[in-house]
Amino acid sequence: MCPNNQEVKALKYILLVFGVSCCAQMMAQGGLLSLAKKVGTMLDTMSVKGVDRNYIDAPVKPWQVIAKGNVSQTIVSMNARGNMDVFDYNARPYLRTTPSQYVGLWAGYRGYGLGYTVNVGGDKGSYLTFGATGGAYGINVRIHSFKNSNPSFNINSSILSEEVSETWNDVELIDPIRVRTVIADGYYMFNGKKFSYAAAYDQSVIQKRSAGSLMAGLMYNYTHINYASDYNGDLVYVMGGLGKVKLWQGSAGVGYAYNWVPVRGLLVNVMAMPMLTFVNKIKGYGYATNVEELMNDPYCWDEDVTEEEWDEWFYGNLYIKPLGNKTFDSGLSLGFDARMSLTYNVGRFFFNAYGQFNNIRYRHNTTHGYLNDWFVNTAIGIRL
């Protein structure tokens, strides 16, 4: 059967639409390829723009695929003593987390890319990082959130005797302490012509000769420690009613960084910067508990009650109640930021290990303390 005129017209229309669609798709793909090439050319130019090629050079292969590992730890020490209008507190807690381990992959072009990491041990929390580096600058953001049920927690409370305080040093909490730290720092190197921050910390370029640079930096820190729950009422009690603490800090500093190239392919970087904290706020949250009421109950001292029965009774009836909060401005304080990196380039492969240590301090009248945050990253990468 031969097609009629209407069928022929319909077939021509379908073929026309299909042809136009194919052409548009090909043009779109060509446009995307052209745009990608332009962006790649721009990144290639940016990686060596304004630098002395006798000291800094870009690898021939622009793509990087990197397997990474990370070990990190957070230590919080407080000497808390005073009055917040609604509650009194007097304790010296010391919280040290178990070192956490993460592994992941990263892929990018000239140091710009994406990565993903997973926790494989330690505090079982989450660790999100973001970094951007150039010849004369570096930006890093680290967000560490975790829960800890069995921390090294030295109470030293005025409510407890020394012997009883020692029993808290290896306590197993029913409801874990929740901690979140956010540390963001940025650096600017004044000798970007001969010194490369990127060569030491993301291997997007190669430092060929030794060089150093004076540097300026800014840092922001936010720390949130929260153990305010009914099951932790006894902990809140021995802390004098203090159940949650938030810290905000902004710091600035001037330091020095040096890239040492002892032999071809090997790079050792050391960076040190004292930091002056000019924004330093503490917010404490107070809670009332019924611990004393439970301790005065005859059931609490009944010798016929088993340990399991006592725990079920005590923690089943324990509760806390919010009293209020207060914010303090801690004033100026001194801290320290230090980094070290070791990189070895061999052909298309490179190996890197670097660590960073931050010491951040705060003080308000008789309340003071510090946050120590450190991590060590290792990487094995190939350039494509």
Side-chain angles (χ1 to χ4, degrees), residues 360-380:
I360 302 169
R361 297 180 176 273
Y362 65 89
R363 172 180 292 275
H364 177 77
N365 295 333
T366 55
T367 296
H368 59 88
Y370 62 84
L371 166 71
N372 284 345
D373 180 270
W374 66 262
F375 68 86
V376 176
N377 286 343
T378 57
I380 301 175

Side-chain angles (χ1 to χ4, degrees), residues 28-319:
Q29 289 177 345
L32 289 174
L33 288 174
S34 178
L35 178 61
K37 288 180 179 179
K38 289 181 179 179
V39 172
T41 301
M42 180 183 68
L43 294 178
D44 291 343
T45 303
M46 288 174 56
S47 64
V48 292
K49 184 179 180 180
V51 304
D52 187 335
R53 300 293 290 271
N54 293 317
Y55 284 81
I56 302 168
D57 205 357
V60 176
K61 304 290 185 180
W63 290 95
Q64 297 165 285
V65 178
I66 305 174
K68 291 188 173 185
N70 172 279
V71 179
S72 62
Q73 185 180 41
T74 299
I75 300 172
V76 180
S77 177
M78 297 174 59
N79 189 330
R81 183 173 70 254
N83 179 276
M84 288 191 177
D85 297 337
V86 292
F87 68 101
D88 295 313
Y89 58 97
N90 190 343
R92 296 196 304 272
Y94 178 86
L95 171 63
R96 182 178 61 210
T97 70
T98 303
S100 58
Q101 298 92 42
Y102 294 82
V103 295
L105 289 172
W106 185 93
Y109 187 95
R110 297 295 185 199
Y112 296 87
L114 297 173
Y116 181 74
T117 61
V118 295
N119 178 273
V120 294
D123 57 42
K124 303 298 183 184
S126 61
Y127 197 91
L128 177 64
T129 63
F130 168 78
T133 58
Y137 69 88
I139 300 172
N140 306 280
V141 180
R142 302 186 306 284
I143 302 174
H144 191 190
S145 299
F146 59 91
K147 299 177 182 179
N148 200 312
S149 298
N150 189 22
S152 173
F153 199 76
N154 185 9
I155 292 294
N156 285 328
S157 172
S158 61
I159 297 174
L160 305 176
S161 65
E162 183 176 348
E163 291 77 16
V164 176
S165 292
E166 290 179 357
T167 64
W168 282 84
N169 293 348
D170 192 30
V171 67
E172 182 75 29
L173 300 176
I174 298 176
D175 195 8
I177 296 173
R178 294 166 173 81
V179 180
R180 171 175 289 184
T181 63
V182 180
I183 297 179
D185 49 38
Y187 312 103
Y188 179 79
M189 313 294 170
F190 292 96
N191 185 22
K193 185 176 181 179
K194 296 182 178 181
F195 173 91
S196 175
Y197 184 88
Y201 294 102
D202 74 6
Q203 292 74 54
S204 58
V205 297
I206 297 174
Q207 183 86 39
K208 298 166 64 178
R209 295 184 180 181
S210 301
S213 178
L214 187 68
M215 57 185 290
L218 294 173
M219 178 180 292
Y220 168 79
N221 167 58
Y222 169 75
T223 302
H224 183 188
I225 306 169
N226 184 7
Y227 48 88
S229 72
D230 290 339
Y231 284 121
N232 288 334
D234 49 353
L235 175 58
V236 173
Y237 174 72
V238 300
M239 286 292 292
L242 190 64
K244 182 165 59 176
V245 178
K246 294 182 180 180
L247 309 174
W248 297 269
Q249 295 176 311
S251 307
V254 177
Y256 191 79
Y258 190 76
N259 279 347
W260 179 42
V261 185
V263 295
R264 183 178 178 180
L266 180 62
L267 172 63
V268 181
N269 171 272
V270 177
M271 186 191 83
M273 178 182 293
M275 305 290 290
L276 177 65
T277 301
F278 54 89
V279 175
N280 206 351
K281 292 186 177 182
I282 310 172
K283 189 173 186 178
Y285 293 78
Y287 298 83
T289 76
N290 64 332
V291 170
E292 292 186 1
E293 178 184 336
L294 294 176
M295 295 295 288
N296 291 325
D297 192 301
Y299 188 86
C300 182
W301 307 100
D302 190 336
E303 295 181 356
D304 295 329
V305 176
T306 66
E307 183 176 350
E308 291 77 11
E309 291 173 335
W310 190 93
D311 285 344
E312 183 178 356
W313 168 80
F314 183 80
Y315 289 105
N317 291 282
L318 185 61
Y319 67 82

